[in-house]
Amino acid sequence: MTSYPSPSARDDGARAGLLLAALLLVALNLRAPITSLPPVVDDVAASLGLTPAGAGLLTSVPVLCFALCTPLASVLVARVGPELALGASMAGIFAGTLLRSTGSVPTALAGSALLGVAITIGNVAVPVVITRDFRRRAAAVTGAYSATMNLGSTFTTMLTVPLATAFGWQWALAGWGVLAVVALAAWVPAGRRLAARGRAAAPPGAARVRPPSARAELDALDAHGRSAVRRLVVLLSVAFAGQAFGYYAVTAWLPEILHDRLGMTAAGAGSAAAPFQLCAVLGSFLVPAAFSRRLSARAVAMLMAAMWISLPLGLLLAPGLWWLWVGLSGAAQGGNFTVIFTLVAQRSPGVAVARRSSAVVQTAGYGCAVLAPTVMGAVHEATHGWTAPLALVAGVLATMAAAMWVASARPAADPA
């Protein structure tokens, strides 16, 4: 006799599906506003009378906000909850997108800063929702989250120039605000349902109970458990610092490296570098698929690290196979992001610790990311070539791999 899920089970599945869809629409906005600017940055600089350094500031301010504002964003999420925080994030992204496009230097800088703060809130709040509401499917949902962010980056990178040609750079940049409006329209009802579900779960007439703090969750562990959590956070901070440094260094300089080492035209080098971003979508789905086949976290992490390191080593030793190294590393940078934040979600003892751990990891990572393009450029200028900068990236990624090797070890209490 065929059995069917109960109506309540079907309803719960539908609600989870709607929540996931709303969460992914939010994720679509967490990189797109940043990557929409570089394709038209020359037009923006010419229109606003900015020097190259000033134009570079517009692209670096949001990443600087990631590093500086993540601790404050973590406090905000703890105070108001991820539902309200993500709504505020989408509203801030919409306002920042419009403000940046108004056509003056002060508003462009203010809009860039507002975008950075709003995205930082989203960066912290989304892993909290994944840990709390999708813990059993953390790898798959984190992979979908990472893939959606990269899809947003790909769309804005590819389409901003045609839009600017047709309507001008201001309308082209402002137009991406529609993504935030759509995400906000989807998230507000989803957030209300989550809040209502939390109220319904409380005993009738009971006062509103604040969720346990990170300190309370840690105090519930024995000394060994607390030490293990802190050790994991340090290791993942080192790993994400290497991941973020490598990503932003390669994003900034890969077209120039391909142009200088392989003699590509500027346009050809830009096109050749594009798969580094696009293949991240593949990597973001590759990791959950590997976990679903019961591969250990360490095996998956080492595969991602080897693929990542293939780019600097490949360009040094076999540059003719650049297309292979660019594709492998692109998939790896998306996949490695998924591994890191899956470990945060799965191995934190509770939601509050996951929130704080994610904030610490992101602060360390984006702090290094801010420095990456400048450090790479300085090493290139000092050595008059790309051998030393590529060796630097390889060394940073090797450090990342070592941290991931230790962090991804199976916990003693894990029966899997």
Side-chain angles (χ1 to χ4, degrees):
M1 181 177 178
T2 304
S3 61
Y4 298 96
S6 66
S8 60
R10 289 197 298 269
D11 290 344
D12 288 344
R15 282 193 291 267
L18 291 173
L19 172 61
L20 179 58
L23 194 66
L24 295 183
L25 285 172
V26 167
L28 199 63
N29 289 271
L30 296 184
R31 293 297 178 270
I34 299 174
T35 56
S36 64
L37 181 60
V40 294
V41 70
D42 290 341
D43 294 338
V44 175
S47 176
L48 301 181
L50 291 172
T51 63
L57 189 61
L58 293 180
T59 60
S60 61
V61 162
V63 183
L64 181 62
C65 289
F66 293 174
L68 297 179
C69 299
T70 294
L72 295 176
S74 178
V75 172
L76 176 69
V77 173
R79 291 283 179 85
V80 306
E83 298 87 1
L84 186 57
L86 282 177
S89 173
M90 293 302 100
I93 288 173
F94 176 68
T97 299
L98 296 184
L99 188 60
R100 185 179 62 175
S101 308
T102 53
S104 73
V105 174
T107 57
L109 289 171
S112 297
L114 180 55
L115 281 170
V117 172
I119 293 173
T120 302
I121 295 170
N123 286 344
V124 174
V126 170
V128 172
V129 176
I130 292 174
T131 302
R132 187 190 64 187
D133 299 294
F134 297 100
R135 193 181 186 102
R136 293 183 179 179
R137 294 184 288 158
V141 176
T142 303
Y145 159 54
S146 174
T148 306
M149 284 196 299
N150 283 288
L151 281 174
S153 299
T154 302
F155 289 152
T156 56
T157 300
M158 293 175 58
L159 298 177
T160 299
V161 170
L163 289 172
T165 300
F167 304 107
W169 69 265
Q170 290 174 261
W171 284 107
L173 293 181
W176 292 115
V178 70
L179 295 179
V181 173
V182 172
L184 189 61
W187 181 256
V188 167
R192 286 175 178 168
R193 284 193 293 270
L194 282 177
R197 187 175 67 185
R199 290 191 297 269
R208 182 180 182 270
V209 178
R210 293 182 64 86
S213 65
R215 181 181 296 275
E217 290 178 353
L218 288 173
D219 287 345
L221 303 175
D222 59 21
H224 175 74
R226 290 192 294 272
S227 176
V229 169
R230 293 181 180 121
R231 179 168 172 265
L232 178 68
V233 171
V234 170
L235 290 167
L236 292 181
S237 295
V238 173
F240 192 58
Q243 159 80 13
F245 184 98
Y247 173 80
Y248 282 94
V250 170
T251 296
W253 290 107
L254 183 57
E256 189 73 15
I257 293 171
L258 295 175
H259 171 71
D260 290 350
R261 291 185 70 87
L262 297 171
M264 294 182 180
T265 64
S271 298
F276 179 73
Q277 304 292 342
L278 189 57
C279 287
V281 177
L282 174 63
S284 299
F285 287 118
L286 179 64
V287 166
F291 281 140
S292 71
R293 293 181 177 274
R294 308 297 292 174
L295 289 180
S296 69
R298 174 171 282 178
V300 177
M302 291 304 98
L303 174 61
M304 293 299 107
M307 292 166 60
W308 224 140
I309 296 174
S310 72
L311 179 65
L313 294 183
L315 290 177
L316 286 171
L317 302 175
L321 295 175
W322 61 266
W323 50 271
L324 177 60
W325 315 133
V326 169
L328 286 174
S329 63
Q333 57 96 355
N336 197 58
F337 181 98
T338 304
V339 173
I340 290 171
F341 287 99
T342 296
L343 290 176
V344 171
Q346 290 182 338
R347 299 190 179 178
S348 295
V351 174
V353 170
R355 171 185 52 77
R356 181 175 291 183
S357 299
S358 176
V360 172
V361 169
Q362 291 186 56
T363 299
Y366 292 124
C368 291
V370 172
L371 302 174
T374 302
V375 170
M376 278 282 285
V379 174
H380 170 60
E381 186 174 358
T383 60
H384 305 288
W386 289 108
T387 299
L390 288 170
L392 171 65
V393 173
V396 169
L397 294 178
T399 303
M400 175 202 77
M404 289 299 294
W405 172 267
V406 182
S408 60
R410 180 176 296 163
D414 187 353

